[in-house]
Amino acid sequence: MTTNATANPSPIKLATTAAAPQKASRMALSNVVRGVLNEPLYVILYGVEGVGKSTFAAGAPSPIFLSTEGGTGHLDVARFPEVSTFAEALDAIRTLINEPHDFKTLVIDTVDHLEPLVHAHLLNGTKWKSLAEYGGGYGRGKEAALDAWRIFMKAVETLRKAKGMHVIFLGHCTIRTFKNPMGGDFDRYVPKMNEHAAGLIKESVGYVLFARYESFAKTDDDKRTRGFSDGTRLLHTQWSASYDAKNRGDLPAEMPLSWVDFEAATKAGAPKAEAKLRAEIASLIPSLPEEKRAAVQAAADGTTDLSRLAQILDRARALSAITTADANGAA
Amino acid sequence: MSTHLPVISNSEMKTFRACRRLHHMQYDMLYRLAVEPEALRFGSLFHRGLEAWWIAKRSGVVEPLAHALEVVRADPGESDAFELVRAEELLRGYDCRWGDEPIEVVGVEVEFTASIVNPATGAASKTYRLGGKIDALARYADGRLVTVEHKTASSDIEPGSDYWRHLRLDVQIGTYLVGARALGHEPAECLYDVIGKPATRPLKATPEESRKYTEAKPERACGACRGKGAKAGETCPKCEGVGRLPGEPSRLYAGQRETDETVEEYRARLREHIAENPDRYYVRGTIVRLDEEEADDAYDRWATAREIAEARRLHRHPKNPDACIRYGRICDFHDVCTRTASLDDPARFRRAETAHEELTVTQPATTEAAE
């Protein structure tokens, strides 16, 4: 039924009329701020073994590592003693909340190694021997584990608010089959942990990043397809059928796996300025193998896409490093 | 925050979300049941005992259990002796389970009022304020302060069950965190303290017409040793060398009874069951609210308060027949809605003095109540 609003005015006031200004309203002009807010970054980075996740995080400002696994010994960073229980992990975060310090980034390395500690924490002191049995079974263990993860995430949120620290979760990846309702099923990279726990982290953070080596497939004369990689490490920031990723900024879909580039991109909402990228590529060209120089220059000249330029720069860096190492070896 | 504003509580909002007609009868017209329903009676009795236990803990009383038992025995309300025993034994088990937990009780039955804030503008409501009573505030050994919420439940409360899953969305937890902050505290989380209600009931005598008895057995020769008293040169273990087995009188079948269970028999059986199954009766869990969830809760509170104001202004209180059965029982006001009972029947309903009898905060009467 429709009514004529003029002839039969509804007694319902659809919108409030302009109210008198609130005395202590947050919406005062004095509270207006301009520009990009420098909120602490909240990131999960997952990727294949050895791709450089910890090295990426080590590039963040004044990091402290909360390690659940070894493998960061080569990095010159501050670190808590390796945590062996879930309670220790929470204690470490609460220490950062409550005590004065100069750390600016917390790195949790890695969330998938923290997961067994969460499970052990649940089972500790109970009659149950495994998560499958926990609470009488029927998936209750996973639900209880999710509640423990929520407690962990709350502690991390409190730290971010209290100290304004960046937080980076690192994790390994695994391949899971995606049941595609629109066609054939396919495999994709996902964080190597319980789906709900991973979902909680992914929903909480601002950036879900996937790291991998750039790889190519080539069919040789025997019609055999071989994969190869030149060692370039890439960071993916947007969802794809092949992996989970997201960003709340306006980041390019791909960029070099480097904290400096990532942070700069988050600040700019875009990768480095085009001229800067081109200048850096140009500065590297003399150090590249002679047969590659023209190809790199042509690739750079042939695109205006900033993320593509960032990729070319990353490859140029890798090639330059290899050439320099070879030259040093020969010497 | 203006203290003259009417209070709306979490219970009121919960009622409003379930059924606007019920909300109207309870919070505008201020009708309550004249007699507390049996299903809620035990919860109230136990809660009184629990409150006394926590108050005693806070005061440093050496035996808080004795204090709690004294309180429930002094005022059992309409509860019978068996219900009282159930409350007593549940309190005894609670004391065994949690009595030694290293937490400092900061406050018990802590009342609060807080602004209902529009999350979009940060402005406080000029129509209502939020009110409630937090079961307890406690501090862990590491200094963290938590709100404590006690609940009795008949459903499965084991960790990881749907009971706990549902609490991730429970509005009351977020509301009480806001309340604690309004009192100047900074609670880190909520300690959810759930007590399973015993399903064990007093055993009744089997009706005479249903009783079945075993057949009486006369004295007879031992079958194991064929009445010889010895087997393979050794004393027969069954008849112990006598060679005969004594007769057996007729007995009532197992599981049947000739008399009702006494209060003390019931107490002993219940105590044993609780001692053997503590996880079924006492579970505590930590419930947190992530930042985005708190913002979402604030939005829900604001929206519900707006809807309550709108319903009152327009005098629109539609029924929600989908909510007539909740918690496994029919709504207390169902007969009123189906016109088979009257709100004016003093045997069934009474008029409350305020919308929130459990709160002491000033509660201006609503328009209709004043009429």
Side-chain angles (χ1 to χ4, degrees):
Chain A
M1 185 179 71
T2 56
T3 53
N4 184 321
T6 314
N8 182 20
S10 165
I12 304 171
K13 197 161 67 176
L14 292 174
T16 52
T17 49
Q22 296 284 312
K23 270 185 185 171
S25 172
R26 289 193 306 126
M27 296 300 115
L29 285 175
S30 57
N31 289 342
V32 170
V33 290
R34 288 180 193 277
V36 177
L37 292 175
N38 281 326
E39 287 185 344
L41 295 171
Y42 203 16
V43 177
I44 176 170
L45 167 67
Y46 72 105
V48 296
E49 201 82 38
V51 73
K53 298 181 289 291
S54 302
T55 307
F56 170 90
S62 189
I64 178 162
F65 275 63
L66 182 63
S67 296
T68 53
E69 58 167 294
T72 58
H74 63 290
L75 296 172
D76 181 16
V77 291
R79 51 176 74 81
F80 281 106
E82 193 172 311
V83 295
S84 56
T85 65
F86 181 60
E88 280 182 359
L90 284 175
D91 276 352
I93 295 172
R94 287 174 185 149
T95 300
L96 289 173
I97 293 169
N98 296 323
E99 292 183 15
H101 58 79
D102 296 328
F103 299 112
K104 294 190 171 69
T105 307
L106 170 67
V107 182
I108 293 135
D109 186 14
T110 60
V111 279
D112 42 293
H113 280 234
L114 184 58
E115 195 167 37
L117 303 186
V118 171
H119 298 173
H121 168 75
L122 291 176
L123 295 170
N124 186 24
T126 70
K127 59 189 173 189
W128 299 298
K129 301 277 180 261
S130 71
L131 207 64
E133 291 174 18
Y134 186 84
Y138 299 104
R140 290 176 174 193
K142 287 178 186 172
E143 290 299 329
L146 186 58
D147 282 332
W149 275 110
R150 287 170 57 80
I151 293 168
F152 185 77
M153 295 303 286
K154 182 66 191 176
V156 169
E157 275 189 2
T158 307
L159 173 66
R160 292 183 71 231
K161 269 202 288 197
K163 296 286 162 94
M165 288 176 73
H166 302 301
V167 175
I168 305 170
F169 298 98
L170 299 180
H172 295 100
C173 67
T174 188
I175 295 171
R176 288 209 184 113
T177 303
F178 178 73
K179 298 276 181 198
N180 182 13
M182 307 279 285
D185 298 347
F186 55 87
D187 289 347
R188 60 199 311 267
Y189 288 107
V190 292
K192 189 182 179 181
M193 60 191 301
N194 173 266
E195 197 180 348
H196 290 137
L200 177 68
I201 296 175
K202 287 190 290 184
E203 282 300 305
S204 300
V205 300
Y207 299 90
V208 178
L209 308 175
F210 173 62
R212 68 175 181 99
Y213 291 103
E214 189 168 36
S215 52
F216 308 93
K218 189 178 177 185
T219 306
D220 61 19
D221 297 340
D222 301 332
K223 293 187 178 171
R224 279 171 41 178
T225 304
R226 295 174 190 277
F228 67 96
S229 171
D230 61 4
T232 306
R233 298 153 198 242
L234 288 179
L235 195 60
H236 295 274
T237 67
Q238 290 175 14
W239 189 93
S240 132
S242 307
Y243 47 80
D244 265 344
K246 74 163 187 184
N247 75 82
R248 284 185 185 161
D250 185 20
L251 302 190
E254 285 179 4
M255 63 172 72
L257 178 60
S258 133
W259 175 268
V260 175
D261 290 323
F262 168 70
E263 193 183 25
T266 58
K267 281 182 179 161
K272 287 179 180 175
E274 185 179 345
K276 211 169 175 185
L277 286 169
R278 289 191 188 285
E280 207 170 328
I281 292 167
S283 71
L284 286 169
I285 283 178
S287 63
L288 302 182
E290 215 169 320
E291 67 278 13
K292 297 275 185 188
R293 289 176 191 168
V296 170
Q297 187 65 62
D301 292 343
T303 183
T304 54
D305 178 23
L306 297 184
S307 62
R308 177 73 188 134
L309 277 173
Q311 272 183 39
I312 295 166
L313 172 60
D314 193 45
R315 276 189 220 165
R317 277 183 187 145
L319 277 172
S320 170
I322 292 165
T323 314
T324 310
D326 285 352
N328 290 342
Chain B
M1 180 181 57
S2 304
T3 52
H4 68 278
L5 294 177
V7 161
I8 51 177
S9 66
N10 184 69
S11 305
E12 180 177 352
M13 287 194 269
K14 191 172 179 175
T15 305
F16 183 81
R17 283 193 296 270
C19 177
R20 294 176 183 211
R21 178 68 58 86
L22 177 64
H23 172 265
H24 177 58
M25 289 188 280
Q26 288 194 326
Y27 291 95
D28 295 337
M29 302 167 79
L30 306 185
Y31 280 104
R32 298 285 187 279
L33 281 188
V35 181
E36 191 173 29
E38 197 181 333
L40 304 181
R41 200 172 58 207
F42 175 75
S44 301
L45 175 68
F46 181 74
H47 202 94
R48 283 203 296 279
L50 204 55
E51 182 187 336
W53 189 90
W54 277 75
I55 288 172
K57 280 281 274 187
R58 187 192 176 198
S59 313
V61 172
V62 181
E63 288 188 28
L65 175 64
H67 182 60
L69 294 178
E70 200 177 301
V71 166
V72 292
R73 283 171 189 158
D75 180 19
E78 299 285 319
S79 296
D80 62 13
F82 290 97
E83 208 162 66
L84 182 61
V85 161
R86 206 149 57 235
E88 285 177 8
E89 291 310 310
L90 211 50
L91 283 168
R92 194 182 304 281
Y94 186 88
D95 184 66
C96 284
R97 180 78 185 227
W98 304 123
D100 295 331
E101 286 285 297
I103 56 173
E104 175 203 349
V105 183
V106 175
V108 180
E109 296 290 318
V110 184
E111 209 168 305
F112 69 86
T113 57
S115 297
I116 299 176
V117 176
N118 180 346
T121 64
S125 168
K126 292 177 179 176
T127 315
Y128 298 118
R129 59 191 164 136
L130 191 64
K133 201 185 261 184
I134 304 166
D135 283 345
L137 289 170
R139 198 181 298 283
Y140 291 137
D142 65 5
R144 280 178 304 135
L145 186 111
V146 294
T147 60
V148 182
E149 206 39 51
H150 310 303
K151 294 284 179 214
T152 52
S154 306
S155 57
D156 177 4
I157 58 168
E158 293 224 29
S161 61
D162 287 349
Y163 184 91
W164 293 96
R165 203 173 165 187
H166 164 256
L167 292 178
R168 291 176 204 150
L169 286 179
D170 188 272
V171 181
Q172 188 188 39
I173 293 168
T175 301
Y176 286 7
L177 291 175
V178 169
R181 284 186 200 125
L183 294 170
H185 300 289
E186 194 46 58
E189 56 206 27
C190 173
L191 174 64
Y192 218 76
D193 184 20
V194 190
I195 299 100
K197 288 186 201 168
T200 309
R201 291 287 179 271
L203 299 173
K204 297 283 182 195
T206 311
E208 281 190 30
E209 65 275 15
S210 307
R211 290 179 196 172
K212 287 184 178 176
Y213 292 88
T214 59
E215 206 173 310
K217 290 181 181 171
E219 186 185 302
R220 60 202 184 279
C222 176
C225 61
R226 296 183 181 177
K228 293 175 184 167
K231 194 177 173 185
E234 287 185 12
T235 305
C236 174
K238 193 170 178 185
C239 64
E240 295 174 337
V242 179
R244 296 193 68 76
L245 296 174
E248 288 174 19
S250 171
R251 281 199 312 262
L252 198 61
Y253 270 27
Q256 294 198 340
R257 298 179 61 90
E258 283 178 334
T259 55
D260 288 350
E261 193 173 33
T262 66
V263 170
E264 287 314 310
E265 283 170 343
Y266 176 61
R267 183 193 297 279
R269 191 163 59 88
L270 184 60
R271 187 180 294 182
E272 192 180 336
H273 195 264
I274 292 173
E276 284 173 0
N277 304 280
D279 294 335
R280 200 181 290 179
Y281 291 100
Y282 309 103
V283 185
R284 281 182 175 177
T286 297
I287 312 290
V288 294
R289 282 285 171 272
L290 301 175
D291 288 352
E292 286 191 7
E293 293 167 343
E294 285 207 29
D296 205 28
D297 283 356
Y299 176 83
D300 288 355
R301 267 193 301 278
W302 175 261
T304 307
R306 284 289 301 266
E307 285 176 27
I308 291 174
E310 198 78 342
R312 283 178 174 153
R313 196 170 62 79
L314 299 173
H315 300 284
R316 298 276 190 273
H317 312 289
K319 298 186 289 287
N320 176 15
D322 297 331
C324 291
I325 299 172
R326 291 196 300 155
Y327 312 114
R329 48 191 291 267
I330 197 92
C331 173
D332 297 328
F333 289 76
H334 184 265
D335 289 348
V336 176
C337 290
T338 54
R339 299 176 191 282
T340 53
S342 166
L343 285 170
D344 297 327
D345 179 357
R348 296 194 62 172
F349 302 102
R350 65 180 174 87
R351 215 57 192 268
E353 287 184 14
T354 66
H356 306 284
E357 291 178 302
E358 73 283 12
L359 303 179
T360 58
V361 289
T362 318
Q363 176 65 37
T366 60
T367 319
E368 285 183 54
E371 287 164 4

